[in-house]
Amino acid sequence: MQHQYRVGWWTYALVVATGLVILAPFVWMAATGLMTTGQTLQVPPSLIPQPATLAGTQEVFDRIPFLTLLLNTVLVSTGRAACTLVICSMAAYALAVIKVPGSQLILLVILALIMVPGDIFIVPNFAIIASFRMTDTLVALFLPSVFDVFGVFLLYQFFRGVPRELIEAARMDGASHLRILTTIVVPVARSGVVSLTILTVLSEWKDLLWPIVVNRSIDKLTLGPGLALLRGTYTTDWNVVMAAGVMAALPMIGIFLILQKQFIASFARSGLK
């Protein structure tokens, strides 16, 4: 017997209120990006551009090489996502499917590392990159981050749910572990792989500190530190900064809207809160 639950009006009101709170900063940023510098300095501040102008957007391209920064961000995010998926999927497969000796201890170490702030690794990471003479390169931007402990744990949760019968049948047919991983485990856990891809790209897309530390040339930076260059020493044209922020955020918003169903379903299935 199926029970039908009625959703009260207060549930819709709470969802709408929460959505408005979340969207308000982005709407304000977009509105500010369409203003002139004089309008951003008005007291009290105006929320509606009068009139709307794209002068701030044009100023972004005049002050920084935005397209170069965007291309660098796409390349670095793609490289990091690809390497992270390969490394994390192999590690999670070893822990969840093969169950290598000491897998439980390794999993405890991984869980402990999730709670360690990543900023404490900046100095040793820079020392390693410098020793390989890789500073001021695009590879240096993502190489220290290709192993993601959270990514291993996330895929471990999904790989545990793969039916053992499929894996055992493949083993009886003579399939190697690599073939089982690529043709059975990863397709079954596709939603988890998509989620890890989105989270990895988002993490690299908004990274600010590490690119500033390891690279010096502006044509080797990503959008995060590139947009920070728009802030002035004494005054800041906030319409220019906000216009750049909107343009930098739009690609990630588009990716999430396209893959939102798989992204939300993956966390619902993994049991993560």
Side-chain angles (χ1 to χ4, degrees), residues 79-80 83-85 87-88 142-148:
R80 177 177 172 181
C83 295
T84 297
L85 288 178
I87 295 175
C88 291
F142 69 88
L143 187 60
S145 305
V146 293
F147 179 77
D148 188 349

Side-chain angles (χ1 to χ4, degrees), residues 250-271:
L250 285 178
M252 289 307 305
I253 294 175
I255 291 175
F256 176 77
L257 291 177
I258 295 173
L259 302 175
Q260 61 175 327
K261 291 184 178 180
Q262 293 180 334
F263 182 75
I264 296 173
S266 66
F267 282 95
R269 295 172 185 170
S270 66

Side-chain angles (χ1 to χ4, degrees), residues 37-59:
T37 302
Q39 292 176 9
T40 62
L41 301 177
Q42 291 179 354
V43 179
S46 175
L47 299 180
I48 301 176
Q50 298 176 351
T53 177
L54 294 178
T57 303
Q58 182 61 44
E59 192 69 20

Side-chain angles (χ1 to χ4, degrees), residues 210-270:
W210 175 247
I212 296 176
V213 172
V214 75
N215 285 356
R216 290 292 181 266
S217 303
I218 187 173
D219 60 339
K220 299 297 182 181
L221 295 178
T222 52
L223 282 173
L227 299 188
L229 298 176
L230 294 173
R231 296 194 60 180
T233 304
Y234 303 104
T235 60
T236 300
D237 296 329
W238 290 109
N239 60 323
V240 179
V241 176
M242 295 303 178
V246 171
M247 291 190 294
L250 285 178
M252 289 307 305
I253 294 175
I255 291 175
F256 176 77
L257 291 177
I258 295 173
L259 302 175
Q260 61 175 327
K261 291 184 178 180
Q262 293 180 334
F263 182 75
I264 296 173
S266 66
F267 282 95
R269 295 172 185 170
S270 66

Side-chain angles (χ1 to χ4, degrees), residues 162-174:
V162 177
R164 297 294 303 184
E165 293 79 6
L166 294 176
I167 299 175
E168 294 300 330
R171 292 294 295 167
M172 293 180 62
D173 290 339

Side-chain angles (χ1 to χ4, degrees), residues 11-235:
T11 303
Y12 291 105
L14 180 61
V15 170
V16 171
T18 303
L20 291 176
V21 171
I22 295 174
L23 291 176
F26 183 79
V27 173
W28 194 351
M29 179 174 66
T32 305
L34 295 175
M35 296 180 181
T36 62
T37 302
Q39 292 176 9
T40 62
L41 301 177
Q42 291 179 354
V43 179
S46 175
L47 299 180
I48 301 176
Q50 298 176 351
T53 177
L54 294 178
T57 303
Q58 182 61 44
E59 192 69 20
V60 172
F61 293 95
D62 294 337
R63 295 189 184 184
I64 60 175
F66 184 85
L67 294 180
T68 300
L69 298 175
L70 178 61
L71 178 60
N72 291 346
T73 307
V74 171
L75 294 176
V76 172
S77 300
T78 304
R80 177 177 172 181
C83 295
T84 297
L85 288 178
V86 172
I87 295 175
C88 291
S89 61
M90 295 176 67
Y93 180 84
L95 295 175
V97 179
I98 300 178
K99 296 183 179 180
V100 296
S103 59
Q104 294 301 318
L105 178 60
I106 297 174
L107 186 61
L108 289 176
V109 173
I110 289 175
L111 292 176
L113 288 175
I114 293 177
M115 296 181 286
V116 177
D119 292 343
I120 68 174
F121 299 109
I122 288 181
V123 174
N125 284 340
F126 179 79
I128 295 173
I129 293 297
S131 65
F132 285 106
R133 303 179 183 274
M134 296 179 62
T135 57
D136 211 23
T137 62
L138 294 181
V139 177
L141 295 178
F142 69 88
L143 187 60
S145 305
V146 293
F147 179 77
D148 188 349
V149 288
F150 176 76
V152 174
F153 179 71
L154 180 64
L155 293 184
Y156 170 82
Q157 294 289 93
F158 282 93
F159 289 1
R160 284 198 311 169
V162 177
R164 297 294 303 184
E165 293 79 6
L166 294 176
I167 299 175
E168 294 300 330
R171 292 294 295 167
M172 293 180 62
D173 290 339
S176 63
H177 286 297
L178 182 60
R179 184 175 180 181
I180 294 174
L181 173 63
T182 56
T183 61
I184 297 178
V185 177
V186 170
V188 172
R190 179 177 55 188
S191 57
V193 174
V194 171
S195 298
L196 180 58
T197 302
I198 295 177
L199 293 174
T200 303
V201 172
L202 178 61
S203 177
E204 189 63 43
W205 201 274
K206 64 184 180 64
D207 195 11
L208 174 63
L209 182 58
W210 175 247
I212 296 176
V213 172
V214 75
N215 285 356
R216 290 292 181 266
S217 303
I218 187 173
D219 60 339
K220 299 297 182 181
L221 295 178
T222 52
L223 282 173
L227 299 188
L229 298 176
L230 294 173
R231 296 194 60 180
T233 304
Y234 303 104
T235 60

